[in-house]
């Protein structure tokens, strides 16, 4: 069986600096796969390359049987790969509802879009209460909810979440992580980049540790959660 | 006729023209952060396109029947040049340092002037442009020419249509998204290159309308008419808050009224007798710009750009 996403020997450079140095991994339908690692490890670069915002210098990306390496971002979305970017990047001067509608930009079924907007409000009730408000007025955690809700609006086959808990209060972080667990239970396939290694590993089926552009260690979330090296470096244990 | 209502009306007429041209500056800047200094020439070529159509129509045709054809001719020329400039000159420089497209725009502006100067038959001097019959109409103390009516009606119709388009259409929403965050817009499935082309095309169309209106108003067009009009319209766009379409129109109207009133009344102030009249109106226009920007650097309707979360 072939995986939903297969990344093979992927290389990405910024000018002369190689940020991703030949990584390979795959995501099976229904799985949650996480990339963990310190800042500058190349995790965000990897996601931005998968969604077409960056062009790889080498390697292969195959998504749902189609090569992605030269596909522009707006066509990647059309293939069913959604990306909730690092730093959330909601459209600040549009309303929450308009942000969600933009997530469904490529869909034509207005009835279905309406239903999915309602579903996003069920998942994140606070968004429903403030639907007519400019998205820039939301708190960081609420903006993260909106970014996730917006990414789900295209009915993705694979949802990529980049640092969803970054900069959030512990309570908000728990809420976001609980939502990811809920999405997983609903069968959503997720590629998660997260600096909160503890949380990410405990919910991931597969996990990869990235260091300076390469994958250093791979295993199931539980394996890595109990790996001594990972515990020392990423979970802050002596 | 130097009554205050007349000065205000004159200001609103010329301001409508500044506003129409300013839309092109502001839409392009709002989406790609480029000051398209060739935009004044897109306005000029629109006027010449309209005149070229008129020249080739049978003499028996009335000006009212010719008007839509002239507008179409001017619009085709302006839109093609605007979109062609984006595709051939600006797009390859996207991602280059800001100075590169700016210099390209200035070069393109000079090139377009020279092309019209050399190629359009007898364009070295001003070209006679047909005028609308009727008028002047007297409304109270105010004299209004037919060309002024055309200008104001065109500005109102264009502005209302643009506002409706941006607010309600799917492409308009995509335009707002692209202006706010182009990378993320692409992640929504928006083809931002297409949105940029549409912004240039709309700007080109508005410039063509202004070019036609300007010919009808003054009865003459010239190859270098785009320089000063472009500079004024750019000023209007900055005054209103660059990137904001309502700001562009408001900036145009404020600028038009201010320079009209300043040139008429400044010389009444004791000690400033020498500073009034037509010759000084550009000076007052830019003084106004400086004063507004000192108080509101983001322009009248511009928003302070907050750091992205």
């Amino acid at each position: 069986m072939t995986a939903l996403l297969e990344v093979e020997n992927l290389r990405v450079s910024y000018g002369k600096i190689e940020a991703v140095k030949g990584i390979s991994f795959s995501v099976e339908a229904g799985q949650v796969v996480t990339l963990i690692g310190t800042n500058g490890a190349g995790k965000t670069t990897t996601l931005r390359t998968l969604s077409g915002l960056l062009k790889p210098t080498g390697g292969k990306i195959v998504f749902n049987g189609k090569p992605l390496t030269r596909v522009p971002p707006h066509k990647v979305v059309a293939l069913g790969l959604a990306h909730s970017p690092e730093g959330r990047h909601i459209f600040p001067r549009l309303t929450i509802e308009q942000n969600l509608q933009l997530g469904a930009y490529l869909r034509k079924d207005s009835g279905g879009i309406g239903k999915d907007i309602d579903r996003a409000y069920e998942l994140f009730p606070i968004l429903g209460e403030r639907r007519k408000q400019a998205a820039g007025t939301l708190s960081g955690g609420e903006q993260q909810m909106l970014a996730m809700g917006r990414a789900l609006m295209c009915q993705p086959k694979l949802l990529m979440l980049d640092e969803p808990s970054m900069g959030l209060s512990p309570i908000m972080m728990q809420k976001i992580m609980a939502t990811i667990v809920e999405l997983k239970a609903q069968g959503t396939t997720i590629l998660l980049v997260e600096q909160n290694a503890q949380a990410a590993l405990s919910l991931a089926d597969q996990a990869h540790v990235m260091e300076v552009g390469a994958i250093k260690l791979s295993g199931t979330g539980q394996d890595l959660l109990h790996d001594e090296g990972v515990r020392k470096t990423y979970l802050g244990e002596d | 006729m130097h009554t205050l209502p007349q000065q205000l009306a004159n200001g609103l007429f010329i301001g409508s023209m500044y506003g129409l041209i300013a839309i092109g500056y502001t839409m392009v800047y709002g989406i790609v952060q480029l000051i398209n200094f060739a935009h004044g020439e897109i306005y000029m070529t629109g006027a010449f396109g309209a005149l070229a159509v008129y020249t080739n129509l049978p003499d028996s045709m009335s000006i009212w029947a010719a008007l839509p054809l002239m507008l179409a001719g001017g619009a085709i020329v302006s839109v093609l040049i605007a979109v062609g400039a984006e595709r051939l000159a600006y797009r390859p420089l996207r991602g280059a340092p800001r100075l590169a497209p700016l210099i390209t725009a200035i070069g393109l502006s000079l090139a377009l002037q020279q092309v019209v100067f050399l190629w359009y038959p007898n364009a070295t001097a001003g070209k006679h442009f047909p005028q609308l019959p009727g008028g002047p109409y007297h409304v109270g103390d105010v004299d209004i020419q037919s060309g002024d009516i055309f200008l104001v009606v065109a500005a109102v119709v264009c502005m209302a249509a643009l506002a409706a388009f941006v607010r309600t259409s799917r492409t308009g929403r995509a335009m707002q998204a692209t202006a706010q965050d182009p990378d993320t817009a692409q992640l929504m499935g928006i083809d931002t290159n297409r949105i940029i082309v549409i912004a240039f095309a709309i700007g080109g169309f508005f410039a063509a309308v202004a070019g036609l209106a300007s010919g009808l108003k003054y009865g003459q067009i010239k190859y270098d008419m785009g320089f000063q009009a472009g500079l004024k319209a750019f000023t209007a766009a900055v005054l209103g808050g660059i990137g904001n379409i309502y700001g562009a129109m408001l900036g145009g109207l404020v600028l038009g009224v201010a320079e009209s009133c300043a040139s008429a009344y400044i010389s009444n102030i004791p000690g400033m007798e020498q500073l009034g009249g037509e010759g000084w109106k550009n000076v007052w226009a830019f003084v106004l710009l400086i004063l507004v920007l000192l108080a509101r650097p983001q322009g009248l309707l511009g928003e302070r750009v907050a750091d992205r979360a």
Side-chain angles (χ1 to χ4, degrees), chain A residues 48 51 53 72-75 77 81 83-85 87-94 98-99 101-108 143 150, chain B residues 167 170-171 173-195 303-306 308-309:
Chain A
R48 288 177 68 82
S51 61
L53 289 171
H74 66 275
K75 291 193 176 150
V77 191
L81 182 54
H83 183 173
S84 169
R88 308 182 277 268
H89 287 272
I90 45 96
F91 299 106
R93 294 189 293 284
L94 295 177
Q98 289 170 339
N99 267 271
Q101 285 163 351
L102 273 167
Y105 181 75
L106 295 175
R107 288 172 63 185
K108 309 282 182 212
Q143 289 188 12
R150 186 182 61 181
Chain B
R167 282 181 177 211
R170 182 167 170 271
T171 303
R173 182 68 49 74
M175 219 162 219
Q176 289 174 284
T178 306
Q180 290 180 31
D181 193 332
D183 271 2
T184 308
Q186 294 189 67
L187 294 181
M188 303 296 108
I190 296 167
D191 181 354
T192 49
N193 276 328
R194 186 178 143 264
I195 297 298
E303 299 179 51
R304 267 176 210 284
V305 181
R308 288 204 180 108

Side-chain angles (χ1 to χ4, degrees), chain B:
Chain B
M1 277 295 181
H2 282 296
T3 62
L4 180 63
Q6 181 74 59
Q7 295 304 337
L8 291 176
N10 290 347
L12 290 177
F13 300 147
I14 188 78
S16 302
M17 185 147 78
Y18 294 157
L20 279 172
I21 308 172
I23 291 288
Y25 282 103
T26 225
M27 285 193 77
V28 165
Y29 184 86
I31 289 178
V32 283
Q33 281 77 50
L34 164 75
I35 303 295
N36 179 12
F37 271 117
H39 189 62
E41 274 58 48
I42 289 169
Y43 150 81
M44 178 270 292
T45 52
F48 275 88
L51 183 62
V53 168
Y54 179 79
T55 316
N56 288 298
L57 291 174
D59 290 343
S60 57
M61 200 168 189
S62 86
I63 180 80
W64 297 111
L67 215 47
L69 300 173
M70 292 166 75
L71 177 59
I76 289 170
V77 171
S78 289
V79 170
L80 282 182
I81 292 177
V83 169
E86 192 282 322
R87 191 69 194 83
L88 301 173
Y90 301 140
R91 192 181 299 184
L93 293 175
R94 221 179 283 155
R98 287 281 177 87
L99 217 47
L102 192 69
I103 296 296
T104 304
I106 293 170
L108 189 62
S109 158
L110 293 171
L112 286 170
Q113 271 189 39
Q114 289 305 309
V115 165
V116 171
F117 180 82
L118 295 171
W119 276 6
Y120 199 90
N122 306 316
T124 47
K127 299 288 290 179
H128 178 72
F129 203 92
Q131 284 188 284
L132 294 173
Y137 303 96
H138 307 286
V139 181
D141 281 348
V142 183
D143 279 0
I144 301 172
Q145 307 290 336
S146 301
D148 294 328
I149 296 174
F150 176 83
L151 179 51
V152 170
V153 169
V156 168
V157 169
C158 284
M159 197 60 211
L162 179 63
F165 171 74
V166 171
R167 282 181 177 211
T168 61
S169 76
R170 182 167 170 271
T171 303
R173 182 68 49 74
M175 219 162 219
Q176 289 174 284
T178 306
Q180 290 180 31
D181 193 332
D183 271 2
T184 308
Q186 294 189 67
L187 294 181
M188 303 296 108
I190 296 167
D191 181 354
T192 49
N193 276 328
R194 186 178 143 264
I195 297 298
I196 291 166
V197 167
I198 292 171
F200 271 88
I202 292 174
F205 178 79
F206 275 56
V209 172
L212 172 63
S214 162
L216 295 171
K217 180 172 163 63
Y218 297 113
Q220 179 177 302
I221 61 175
K222 206 171 169 212
Y223 72 95
D224 63 357
M225 68 195 266
F227 176 71
Q228 203 179 75
L231 208 55
K232 285 292 182 59
F234 173 58
T235 305
V238 174
L239 193 63
I242 193 144
N244 183 317
I245 54 172
Y246 308 101
M249 195 40 89
L250 178 68
L253 296 176
V254 169
L255 189 68
V257 168
E259 66 177 33
S260 164
C261 290
S263 59
Y265 298 117
I266 288 271
S267 57
N268 296 345
I269 301 171
M272 297 181 75
E273 289 84 359
Q274 308 300 315
L275 305 182
E278 251 328 85
W280 281 86
K281 105 186 158 181
N282 292 342
V283 174
W284 297 119
F286 289 105
V287 167
L288 174 72
L289 176 72
I290 292 166
L291 291 178
V292 169
L293 292 188
L294 281 175
R296 270 186 77 83
Q298 70 273 39
L300 296 171
L301 299 185
E303 299 179 51
R304 267 176 210 284
V305 181
D307 289 340
R308 288 204 180 108

Side-chain angles (χ1 to χ4, degrees), chain A residues 106-122:
Chain A
L106 295 175
R107 288 172 63 185
K108 309 282 182 212
D109 55 324
S110 53
I113 293 172
K115 268 186 205 146
D116 282 356
I117 288 181
D118 289 341
R119 204 165 301 151
Y121 292 154
E122 264 166 47

